[in-house]
Amino acid sequence: MKLGFSPLTAGLNYRQSFELAAELGLFLEIAFDQHEMDPRLPKARELAEMGRAAGVGFTVHLPFVDWNLVSLVPEVRRLSLERTQRAIEFGAQIGAACGVLHTGLVPLRLPEAVNHAHQLAHQALEQLELAIPVALENLGLETTDLLETPSELRNLLEAHPQYGFCLDVGHALIQRGPTGPQEYHHLLGHRLLHLHLHDNRGIQDEHLPCGEGAVDWAWVRKLLENFGGTAALEVSGGEGGVRRSVALLRANS
């Protein structure tokens, strides 16, 4: 298993992030939204060179800010699809091991709207050209999220075998309770490519360092022992939050 962290969630700039990642043997999960918003950030080619110089690899979080791949508004949907495709290409240019994709929102919870949005999700997944492996992330945090149950995500993935699964243990805890991560893994462990690791108290998405909330980290560590993919820390708390989380995950390993 390869372990990394998100500079965005940790609140660290790239200089700090590369130094910490190189020291601890981690990769960086790059938030593509940041690169869209801030032209001062390095372009893909420069970022790839920074990674080579530091001996640090990457994963990429595909767009999620002001984004909705299943929007009922065609122009919003078209732009979201274009942004996602650009992000996949960005990930390929930096040599990302995988990309993480959200599944969209349906604020208008009328049955006809929800059913149409599910159809749009299938269309979008077929339209995207995958230059890197892409994993669909479990959400279920808000009433507006398209997918409301683990079985819905399983059904979507079964229809699109070219995609993998990203298990977000914090999201699963909030959505399904203390055994939520295990429930998702039971259904989709055979499709698991990537994990998002962070903690919370089971109420809201706090992105606490690992061990500071209610996630069952003994179960997570056992899962990681035989996992050959990637796992990214999405923890707050700056350098200290990353270090504490790494120490917990590597304990007795």
Side-chain angles (χ1 to χ4, degrees):
M1 182 270 302
K2 296 180 181 178
L3 184 63
F5 73 94
S6 165
L8 175 65
T9 313
L12 300 174
N13 62 36
Y14 277 152
R15 179 188 60 78
Q16 296 167 317
S17 297
F18 275 108
E19 289 177 357
L20 183 60
E23 176 191 343
L24 298 180
L26 306 175
F27 65 82
L28 297 180
E29 179 149 302
I30 304 301
F32 182 73
D33 286 314
Q34 275 191 297
H35 286 260
E36 286 186 303
M37 297 174 191
D38 190 346
R40 298 170 298 177
L41 291 179
K43 304 301 182 187
R45 188 170 298 177
E46 182 183 356
L47 190 63
E49 182 54 40
M50 292 167 68
R52 283 191 289 271
V56 170
F58 302 105
T59 58
V60 61
H61 201 307
L62 303 174
F64 61 93
V65 176
D66 293 337
W67 171 99
N68 188 4
L69 207 58
V70 298
S71 174
L72 303 180
V73 180
E75 283 301 297
V76 174
R77 189 168 65 250
R78 179 190 59 77
L79 180 57
S80 296
L81 189 68
E82 290 176 0
R83 290 175 61 201
T84 305
Q85 190 63 60
R86 287 198 297 269
I88 291 171
E89 292 164 3
F90 176 92
Q93 290 169 351
I94 66 173
C98 75
V100 179
L101 181 63
H102 286 191
T103 46
L105 309 169
V106 190
L108 188 65
R109 302 307 290 190
L110 298 174
E112 183 178 355
V114 174
N115 290 337
H116 185 48
H118 276 277
Q119 295 172 7
L120 294 173
H122 288 287
Q123 292 176 17
L125 295 182
E126 286 299 323
Q127 287 177 287
L128 290 170
E129 298 179 9
L130 304 186
I132 58 173
V134 172
L136 303 187
E137 178 180 358
N138 59 292
L139 294 165
L141 302 176
E142 307 288 345
T143 57
T144 56
D145 285 327
L146 171 65
L147 303 184
E148 300 179 279
T149 64
S151 61
E152 286 182 315
L153 181 54
R154 178 192 59 191
N155 293 341
L156 187 61
L157 280 167
E158 284 181 349
H160 301 279
Q162 68 270 41
Y163 292 86
F165 171 47
C166 170
L167 172 57
D168 188 303
V169 298
H171 293 173
L173 171 66
I174 295 168
Q175 183 194 23
R176 307 295 289 184
T179 61
Q182 293 93 318
E183 182 181 357
Y184 269 103
H185 185 262
H186 176 73
L187 286 178
L188 290 166
H190 62 293
R191 301 289 293 276
L192 187 63
L193 289 181
H194 188 62
L195 290 99
H196 278 167
L197 306 178
H198 53 97
D199 220 333
N200 62 70
R201 300 175 182 89
I203 305 298
Q204 59 184 354
D205 200 20
E206 300 173 272
H207 287 271
L208 299 173
C210 301
E212 297 186 10
V215 168
D216 183 352
W217 291 106
W219 179 84
V220 173
R221 285 199 300 266
K222 186 174 181 180
L223 169 64
L224 295 177
E225 286 177 3
N226 299 310
F227 177 56
T230 48
L233 297 164
E234 287 192 320
V235 299
S236 57
E239 179 181 327
V242 173
R243 288 185 181 277
R244 294 194 301 276
S245 298
V246 170
L248 182 146
L249 291 169
R250 290 178 173 172
N252 302 319
S253 62

